[in-house]
Amino acid sequence: DIQMTQSPSTLSASVGDRVTITCRASQRISNWLAWYQQKPGKAPKLLIYRASTLESGVPSRFSGSGSGTEFTLTISSLQPDDFATYYCQHFNTHSFGQGTKVEIK
Amino acid sequence: QARLVQSGAEVKKPGASVKVSCKASEYRFTGFYLHWVRQAPGQGLEWMGWINPDNGDTDFAQKFQGRVAMTRDTSINTGYMELTTLTSDDTAIYYCARECGGRAFDFWGQGTMVSVSS
């Protein structure tokens, strides 16, 4: 089974900060990776698919990169609405990373 | 835009079964796989399986095989997930989600809380 590992588990940041979350796959997965945002009490929301393609309607401050086994989600300038938990997902096996909670510093 | 509306919260006793529904609207139901994902309290997302609403084909995570069924009724654009032999470990929010081919899960239901307690 392919395992998806995110780091860090928790990230403390301030509004305006540049934030980077990493997702590593235990095997090469090409670019079959998606990123989701989840806020408390809400369903996840798709942000990025195929590692770097921004879902329609998602602000351009979000970006994704990577291929093979290492991927990153970057928020260029953190906004108050961005404090949430972020998950990566290997799209072929549908397995999720354990999540990264972005907290207010 | 697409919409998925799930059935309401359930409370079950250990050993019982639960069946959650997911009604699709504003898109062609048979054109997109429907997935089920669960989230235990304070925990991450766990993929359970999918159903192809067009032909009823299914695939399940190994952890749930033998204990989960996914069905659909195309006449009312609704998918169902049934989980049997419930234990307290099955207490979670259960989500349905639409797979947009190659784009991951682009629309999600609002979630259904299933509580298992004696």
Side-chain angles (χ1 to χ4, degrees):
Chain A
D1 286 1
I2 296 177
Q3 307 299 322
M4 308 302 294
T5 304
Q6 289 181 232
S7 61
S9 297
T10 306
L11 187 160
S12 297
S14 302
V15 172
D17 284 353
R18 181 181 180 88
V19 167
T20 298
I21 298 168
T22 298
C23 178
R24 290 185 173 88
S26 60
Q27 300 175 35
R28 294 183 64 83
I29 61 169
S30 184
N31 67 343
W32 290 106
L33 188 96
W35 289 98
Y36 300 87
Q37 177 194 67
Q38 187 181 33
K39 296 181 179 179
K42 298 294 187 181
K45 173 188 173 183
L46 178 62
L47 297 177
I48 287 168
Y49 59 96
R50 291 193 183 171
S52 61
T53 303
L54 201 65
E55 174 71 347
S56 176
V58 174
S60 59
R61 62 181 179 272
F62 291 92
S63 64
S65 65
S67 183
T69 61
E70 187 156 333
F71 303 85
T72 59
L73 172 70
T74 300
I75 309 172
S76 60
S77 177
L78 197 65
Q79 299 302 301
D81 192 47
D82 302 337
F83 291 98
T85 300
Y86 294 84
Y87 293 92
C88 63
Q89 181 197 29
H90 175 219
F91 188 52
N92 284 5
T93 61
H94 313 294
S95 58
F96 292 92
Q98 81 277 19
T100 295
K101 184 176 182 180
V102 177
E103 297 181 328
I104 299 174
K105 191 172 186 179
Chain B
Q1 61 180 14
R3 193 169 181 221
L4 296 170
V5 178
Q6 298 182 222
S7 48
E10 303 264 10
V11 179
K12 296 292 182 181
K13 297 219 180 287
S17 299
V18 68
K19 190 171 186 177
V20 180
S21 69
C22 173
K23 182 171 177 60
S25 60
E26 305 305 323
Y27 76 95
R28 185 170 59 90
F29 178 60
T30 54
F32 301 82
Y33 282 29
L34 192 68
H35 293 251
W36 291 87
V37 175
R38 77 177 186 179
Q39 186 170 37
Q43 302 301 308
L45 302 170
E46 182 176 32
W47 177 73
M48 298 180 70
W50 58 253
I51 181 168
N52 179 349
D54 189 38
N55 58 17
D57 283 353
T58 55
D59 185 36
F60 307 128
Q62 189 170 11
K63 174 178 180 176
F64 299 102
Q65 289 194 7
R67 207 162 67 90
V68 69
M70 294 180 187
T71 57
R72 89 291 189 216
D73 184 339
T74 56
S75 68
I76 55 172
N77 293 339
T78 299
Y80 303 91
M81 186 284 300
E82 183 172 21
L83 192 62
T84 62
T85 321
L86 294 169
T87 72
S88 58
D89 289 342
D90 295 313
T91 294
I93 298 172
Y94 289 76
Y95 294 100
C96 59
R98 185 184 87 161
E99 175 191 326
C100 188
R103 285 174 55 206
F105 301 169
D106 60 347
F107 286 96
W108 294 65
Q110 83 277 19
T112 297
M113 180 69 211
V114 174
S115 300
V116 183
S117 173
S118 54

